[in-house]
Amino acid sequence: MHTIFHSFILILAGILLLRIAGRKSISQMTLPQTIVMISIGTIIVTPIIEKGLTKTIVAATVFVLTLLVLEYLQMKSNTLEKFFTGKSKIVVENGKLNVKNLKKLRLTVDQLEMRIRNEGINKFDDIKFATIEPNGLLGFQLAEDAKPLTIGEFKTLMDSYGFHLKNNHLSENTQSSASIFNELKGKQKPENPKFK
C-alpha cells in the first residue's frame, strides 16, 4: 500500500513539475530542456525501482492506472482537464503579437517565427489567430485575405460572373483506384509492397 501511495504522489509531482517546465513537445525542446525532462522522469522512478522488482512492477502498474484515471477524469471535468493539460494560449491576434502570453509560455519571438515559417506563413499580418496548444504545437487561423481559394468559393465566384459550372462532384467510380482511403472504406483490399 505504501508503494501505491508513493507512486501516486510521484505522478502528481511529475505532472506539476512538467506543467511548470513548459509546454513543448519533445521535438521542439532544446537539448537542456530534454535533459531536464528525462532527469525528472528518472528521479521520480528511482526511489521505487531501488526497492525491488515486485515493487517496481506494482509502481509501473499504478503509473499506468493513474494515467487512465486522469484521462477519464479530464473527459468528465473541464476544470480537471484545464488543471492537468492546460489551455491553448493565443500568441498572435489579428496580426499582432500577444507579448503577455509569450512571456507566460517563455517563448521568444524568434521561436514563434520559426514555428510560423514551418507552416508556410511568412508574415504576422496573414494570421487572424495563432495559439500554442497544450501539447506545444502551433494552431492558427489565417486572415481572410491570406486564405487559399477553395473549389466551392471558386464555383460561387464563377457563377456570380455568369459562368455556370456543372456541379460535378467526383463519383466513387471516377476516383483513383489507388486512393489510400478506399481500404478504410472496405472497398478494396490492401496491396502492400513486397519488401526483400
Side-chain angles (χ1 to χ4, degrees):
M1 195 66 184
H2 189 260
T3 303
I4 293 173
F5 179 71
H6 274 200
S7 300
F8 183 71
I9 295 300
L10 289 171
I11 291 168
L12 290 179
I15 290 171
L16 289 173
L17 287 170
L18 293 176
R19 283 290 310 277
I20 291 167
R23 58 172 80 191
K24 292 181 181 173
S25 68
I26 293 294
S27 63
Q28 296 162 337
M29 287 184 187
T30 62
L31 187 59
Q33 289 170 330
T34 304
I35 291 168
V36 168
M37 295 303 173
I38 292 170
S39 300
I40 288 172
T42 306
I43 290 166
I44 286 172
V45 174
T46 299
I48 298 166
I49 290 177
E50 291 176 352
K51 294 185 178 180
L53 182 62
T54 306
K55 289 187 177 182
T56 302
I57 292 169
V58 169
T61 304
V62 170
F63 274 58
V64 172
L65 291 175
T66 303
L67 178 64
L68 295 175
V69 169
L70 291 177
E71 288 174 348
Y72 176 78
L73 290 174
Q74 287 179 73
M75 287 192 306
K76 295 294 183 183
S77 167
N78 285 336
T79 305
L80 287 175
E81 181 184 16
K82 198 184 302 182
F83 176 74
F84 287 118
T85 305
K87 282 178 33 179
S88 301
K89 300 276 188 207
I90 295 174
V91 290
V92 179
E93 190 169 356
N94 295 320
K96 305 286 184 221
L97 286 173
N98 185 324
V99 178
K100 183 179 174 185
N101 281 345
L102 283 174
K103 284 182 182 177
K104 282 182 186 175
L105 295 167
R106 295 186 308 281
L107 188 69
T108 67
V109 176
D110 287 339
Q111 291 170 334
L112 179 62
E113 287 173 345
M114 176 181 67
R115 293 183 187 198
I116 289 172
R117 282 192 301 271
N118 284 335
E119 297 295 338
I121 303 168
N122 60 7
K123 56 185 177 179
F124 287 117
D125 291 338
D126 289 344
I127 302 171
K128 185 173 182 179
F129 288 105
T131 57
I132 299 297
E133 302 300 327
N135 62 2
L137 298 177
L138 178 76
F140 64 92
Q141 179 183 4
L142 293 173
E144 288 299 317
D145 291 344
K147 288 181 181 176
L149 183 67
T150 66
I151 292 174
E153 291 167 336
F154 178 70
K155 286 180 181 179
T156 303
L157 180 66
M158 295 305 286
D159 286 345
S160 70
Y161 283 104
F163 298 102
H164 298 291
L165 301 174
K166 292 181 182 175
N167 193 7
N168 56 355
H169 294 288
L170 292 175
S171 69
E172 295 289 326
N173 298 332
T174 60
Q175 287 183 352
S176 167
S177 61
S179 171
I180 61 174
F181 294 101
N182 286 342
E183 179 185 342
L184 299 175
K185 295 177 185 176
K187 298 192 182 233
Q188 134 185 359
K189 290 187 177 180
E191 294 181 23
N192 295 326
K194 304 280 190 259
F195 293 105
K196 294 182 181 182

